[in-house]
């Protein structure tokens, strides 16, 4: 999605930046992990295929992707590369042509040292806020492998409720409808987030 290609979202624990070719080598290394392949239901790709995937996601109007950076690392030194600060990614898929207000959300904290620190929670809240304010979304779905208990617990804490279980795909579907009450809660949870211009904002933010 090109809508977010010049947007940087600065939170307390994480920074969200558009997925660019600069991030592909690290992402490719992550996805060699059998554990991550299992948790994300992904097939391993060659580096060349990963670059092609990054380009197609950038052009595809129904996919919004941000790379999750460790904010502390990113802000520590002005010349720190984004690749060295990468923690994971967060995605929104607008997969239902009959309902443009529905977004499927997923998050992956791939870097082991970044897990258990609340990065995934903040990244999801920031992405949901972006989806509501910029994409007009009012409903979110998360499809999570049945064995991924930490992720299921996280989404439940964010007010998602289980609506379906697929024994075939071994996954549960959780959903959140953004009522006015939920919208206000979401705004409160993300009131600290700053939106900056991606390339210009990089040096100014640090």
């Amino acid at each position: 999605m090109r809508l977010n290609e010049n947007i940087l979202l600065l939170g307390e624990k994480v920074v969200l930046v558009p997925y660019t070719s600069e991030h592909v080598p690290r992402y490719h290394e992550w996805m060699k992990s059998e554990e991550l392949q299992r948790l994300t239901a992904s097939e391993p790709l060659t580096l060349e295929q990963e670059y092609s995937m990054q380009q197609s996601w950038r052009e595809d109007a129904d996919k919004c992707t941000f790379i999750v950076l460790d904010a502390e690392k990113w802000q520590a030194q002005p010349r720190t590369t984004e690749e060295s600060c990468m923690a994971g990614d967060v995605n929104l898929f607008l997969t239902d042509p009959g309902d443009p207000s529905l977004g499927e959300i997923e998050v992956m904290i791939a870097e082991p040292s970044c897990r258990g620190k609340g990065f995934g929670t903040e990244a999801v809240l920031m992405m949901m806020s972006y989806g509501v304010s910029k994409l007009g979304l009012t409903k979110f779905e998360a499809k999570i492998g049945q064995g991924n208990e930490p992720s299921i617990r996280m989404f439940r804490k964010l007010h998602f409720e289980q609506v379906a279980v697929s024994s075939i795909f071994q996954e549960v579907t959780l959903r959140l409808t953004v009522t006015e009450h939920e919208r206000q809660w979401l705004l409160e949870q993300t009131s600290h987030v700053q939106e900056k211009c991606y390339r210009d904002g990089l040096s100014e933010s640090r």
Side-chain angles (χ1 to χ4, degrees), residues 45-75:
L45 302 177
T46 65
L47 183 59
E48 185 178 343
Q49 288 172 324
E50 209 77 76
Y51 275 111
S52 297
M53 183 76 76
Q54 180 269 325
Q55 274 295 1
S56 71
W57 281 32
R58 180 174 179 150
E59 299 296 333
D60 201 332
D62 66 6
K63 295 180 178 67
C64 181
T65 298
F66 283 102
I67 291 293
V68 180
L69 306 181
D70 180 331
E72 186 178 357
K73 277 188 187 177
W74 182 78
Q75 290 176 308

Side-chain angles (χ1 to χ4, degrees), residues 9-198:
L9 299 174
L10 177 60
E12 290 176 353
K13 298 180 178 182
V14 302
V15 181
L16 303 188
V17 297
Y19 183 28
T20 71
S21 58
E22 176 188 348
H23 306 122
V24 171
R26 183 68 169 273
Y27 192 90
H28 179 63
E29 285 302 311
W30 284 340
M31 296 315 295
K32 290 179 180 178
S33 159
E34 291 184 5
E35 179 197 13
L36 289 178
Q37 290 172 23
R38 178 176 55 79
L39 290 174
T40 60
S42 302
E43 294 293 327
L45 302 177
T46 65
L47 183 59
E48 185 178 343
Q49 288 172 324
E50 209 77 76
Y51 275 111
S52 297
M53 183 76 76
Q54 180 269 325
Q55 274 295 1
S56 71
W57 281 32
R58 180 174 179 150
E59 299 296 333
D60 201 332
D62 66 6
K63 295 180 178 67
C64 181
T65 298
F66 283 102
I67 291 293
V68 180
L69 306 181
D70 180 331
E72 186 178 357
K73 277 188 187 177
W74 182 78
Q75 290 176 308
Q77 298 176 16
R79 289 195 173 86
T80 304
T81 65
E82 286 182 12
E83 189 179 7
S84 67
C85 303
M86 287 171 61
D89 70 341
V90 62
N91 305 288
L92 270 176
F93 303 111
L94 312 181
T95 51
D96 187 345
D99 188 357
S101 68
L102 172 65
E104 182 182 334
I105 190 164
E106 66 176 33
V107 65
M108 174 182 75
I109 302 302
E111 200 61 40
S113 64
C114 294
R115 295 176 187 163
K117 296 182 176 180
F119 285 17
T121 297
E122 186 177 44
V124 167
L125 285 167
M126 289 165 68
M127 184 59 122
M128 286 169 57
S129 179
Y130 183 82
V132 169
S133 61
K134 304 295 185 184
L135 304 177
L137 301 183
T138 59
K139 296 185 288 289
F140 293 95
E141 270 189 2
K143 295 181 179 179
I144 305 167
Q146 284 179 307
N148 192 349
E149 280 297 331
S151 190
I152 292 171
R153 281 197 302 271
M154 182 194 73
F155 276 100
R156 282 185 169 148
K157 284 181 182 176
L158 298 178
H159 303 175
F160 280 69
E161 295 182 353
Q162 184 173 310
V163 293
V165 179
S166 171
S167 54
I168 296 173
F169 295 108
Q170 299 268 299
E171 68 180 16
V172 298
T173 300
L174 298 101
R175 180 178 278 224
L176 173 67
T177 299
V178 184
T179 60
E180 184 56 33
H181 175 72
E182 292 288 357
R183 183 186 177 90
Q184 288 303 316
W185 175 81
L186 187 56
L187 290 173
E188 288 169 12
Q189 297 297 311
T190 55
S191 60
H192 62 283
V193 177
Q194 300 175 55
E195 181 178 320
K196 296 178 179 289
C197 183
Y198 177 44

